Amino acid sequence: MIQHLLNLFFPKACAGCESFLLKDEKVICTQCRHDIPLTNHHKIYNNEIFQKFYGRIPLEFGSAFFYFHKKGIVQEMMHKLKYKGQEEIGEVIGNWYSEELKHLEQIKKIDCIIPVPLHKKRLRERGYNQVESFGRALSENLKIPYEETVLSRKLYTKTQTKKNLLGRSDVIDSVFDISFSEKHHGKHFLLIDDVMTTGATLEACSHALLKVPDAKISIVCMAMSHN
């Protein structure tokens, strides 16, 4: 009853378009769900993710859920997830994408989910890793363990500096560190991130994970930049 009254006087807005959500809508309105540009990567073997990392990472599986366009619905959602504390956006996307991924044989072979980490200072500034709610939703729905301590970020950088650093091959392997034990040997890691642009961050993380003997890598992102 209290929640209904709160919704009546303080109606919740869609994370994509700011329109008021209807009674049965959660975080993203029905119209935005219909209008969000889906990649359908999980249905395409040699998709854009595989092409992006060809010759860079030996991927087992790669997929992004949405296309990210400037000033589009997905950009609005990712901004609120990353900078406005609306972690429920990641959870909703994780639940949604899990329905598409759970029947895939490639997903059934994955041993654990690894988020792209934030530097400790950045984590303190923001208060949360924007990928976590997405990853934990995938973990719960796909019944795959979520491990957030395997990868760590060694360098703290401003956004533009980070872009410059990750574009340089001489430092790409110095950004992330890995902590693993014998139990991780031979495991298939699902590396997750919010938005993939150049792929440099995911490549650097993958290089770190591939230090684990006989490791395998798959990648899933909420979105990928698209012209």
Side-chain angles (χ1 to χ4, degrees):
M1 176 64 75
I2 294 176
Q3 187 62 52
H4 286 307
L5 288 173
L6 288 173
N7 291 342
L8 178 63
F9 291 104
F10 304 98
K12 294 182 178 180
C14 170
C17 68
E18 294 289 341
S19 64
F20 291 143
L21 294 172
L22 300 178
K23 180 180 178 181
D24 296 326
E25 295 175 335
K26 182 178 180 181
V27 180
I28 307 169
C29 73
T30 302
Q31 187 61 51
C32 278
R33 281 180 176 260
H34 180 269
D35 292 342
I36 286 174
L38 303 177
T39 68
N40 289 311
H41 283 163
H42 56 286
K43 299 178 182 178
I44 305 167
Y45 172 69
N46 189 28
N47 61 44
E48 293 160 292
I49 301 292
F50 273 102
Q51 293 172 27
K52 174 78 76 173
F53 291 110
Y54 180 77
R56 297 163 65 184
I57 303 169
L59 276 188
E60 301 293 320
F61 174 79
S63 182
F65 195 17
F66 308 138
Y67 282 122
F68 180 101
H69 298 123
K70 288 186 177 181
K71 298 183 180 180
I73 296 170
V74 177
Q75 183 185 41
E76 183 68 24
M77 292 194 306
M78 294 298 103
H79 180 79
K80 289 174 180 173
L81 170 61
K82 192 169 184 177
Y83 300 111
K84 301 297 183 181
Q86 297 187 27
E87 294 182 79
E88 66 273 13
I89 294 172
E91 180 183 359
V92 167
I93 295 172
N95 290 335
W96 185 2
Y97 206 16
S98 294
E99 291 301 310
E100 301 293 330
L101 297 174
K102 66 183 181 181
H103 301 298
L104 300 180
E105 289 301 317
Q106 302 97 313
I107 295 297
K108 295 176 182 178
K109 297 175 182 177
I110 289 168
D111 296 299
C112 61
I113 296 171
I114 308 290
V116 169
L118 294 180
H119 189 274
K120 290 181 180 179
K121 184 177 179 180
R122 178 78 68 200
L123 188 59
R124 288 195 300 270
E125 291 171 348
R126 189 171 296 162
Y128 62 96
N129 184 337
Q130 71 274 9
V131 184
E132 182 173 354
S133 57
F134 173 67
R136 291 197 180 279
L138 290 178
S139 174
E140 181 176 350
N141 290 299
L142 301 176
K143 310 304 180 188
I144 301 172
Y146 178 86
E147 296 195 33
E148 58 186 339
T149 59
V150 174
L151 276 182
S152 60
R153 188 185 292 259
K154 294 188 287 184
L155 296 180
Y156 173 81
T157 58
K158 297 297 182 182
T159 303
Q160 192 59 48
T161 306
K162 181 177 70 174
K163 289 179 181 178
N164 294 336
L165 276 175
L166 290 176
R168 289 170 46 195
S169 59
D170 60 328
V171 297
I172 197 168
D173 288 330
S174 67
V175 178
F176 298 97
D177 202 0
I178 185 167
S179 176
F180 65 92
S181 63
E182 191 173 342
K183 74 173 185 178
H184 294 105
H185 291 191
K187 296 299 184 182
H188 185 171
F189 300 110
L190 177 62
L191 183 62
I192 62 167
D193 203 2
D194 51 359
V195 180
M196 189 186 80
T197 50
T198 66
T201 298
L202 290 162
E203 182 179 358
C205 287
S206 297
H207 286 173
L209 287 171
L210 287 170
K211 293 176 183 177
V212 179
D214 301 316
K216 295 180 180 179
I217 306 290
S218 288
I219 288 174
V220 165
C221 300
M222 285 182 260
M224 74 171 293
S225 182
H226 190 248
N227 296 327

